[in-house]
Amino acid sequence: MQTERTIYISGRGRSLGWKEKLQLALLGLAGGAVLIAAFVFSLALALILVPIGIVAWMFRRALMRAALRRMQAGIDAAAASGGGAPGRAPRFDEPQRPGTGPGGVTIDADYTVVEPRDRDPAQR
């Protein structure tokens, strides 16, 4: 003999017990605490980073000049320690002239530039 059972999926069939209510309240408190902690952290981060950004923006030219001065000093020190034109240190934007490499060896090669349109059809 076959029995039929009707199952209703929609809606809540029973009310929450005291354990479920307590779990729901604790999860709500934990979620609220995480939300408040994230808000406080982001506010503190903004209060620290925004003034630093404003000061950096106000003194951006002086900061860039100081950084470029440090880079130029490093380039001048590298040029003075080895290589470079005699008598003066090369500027950082000046192309370097070929000379002997660090090992004292210069490789010289003859070459010819062949444009793609001038190549042999078999080489394309």
Side-chain angles (χ1 to χ4, degrees):
M1 180 176 212
Q2 185 178 11
T3 58
E4 292 183 10
R5 186 182 315 172
T6 306
I7 300 173
Y8 294 100
I9 297 175
S10 63
R12 212 169 56 231
R14 63 180 186 89
S15 62
L16 296 177
W18 68 272
K19 286 183 184 178
E20 287 87 10
K21 288 180 182 177
L22 183 62
Q23 286 176 346
L24 189 60
L26 289 176
L27 287 175
L29 287 174
V34 168
L35 187 67
I36 290 172
F39 179 74
V40 168
F41 178 72
S42 64
L43 186 64
L45 196 61
L47 288 176
I48 291 170
L49 291 180
V50 168
I52 290 173
I54 290 172
V55 169
W57 183 77
M58 286 172 47
F59 295 104
R60 66 188 180 277
R61 289 190 179 118
L63 291 170
M64 288 301 294
R65 267 188 262 127
L68 288 174
R69 214 176 297 122
R70 268 187 264 127
M71 285 193 297
Q72 186 63 43
I75 292 169
D76 291 343
S81 66
R88 71 172 184 85
R91 293 175 29 148
F92 65 91
D93 58 347
E94 181 178 286
Q96 300 296 315
R97 290 185 167 66
T100 59
V105 177
T106 301
I107 299 173
D108 191 14
D110 293 326
Y111 62 92
T112 304
V113 176
V114 179
E115 295 293 330
R117 66 178 180 273
D118 299 334
R119 289 186 188 160
D120 204 18
Q123 292 179 344
R124 289 184 193 177

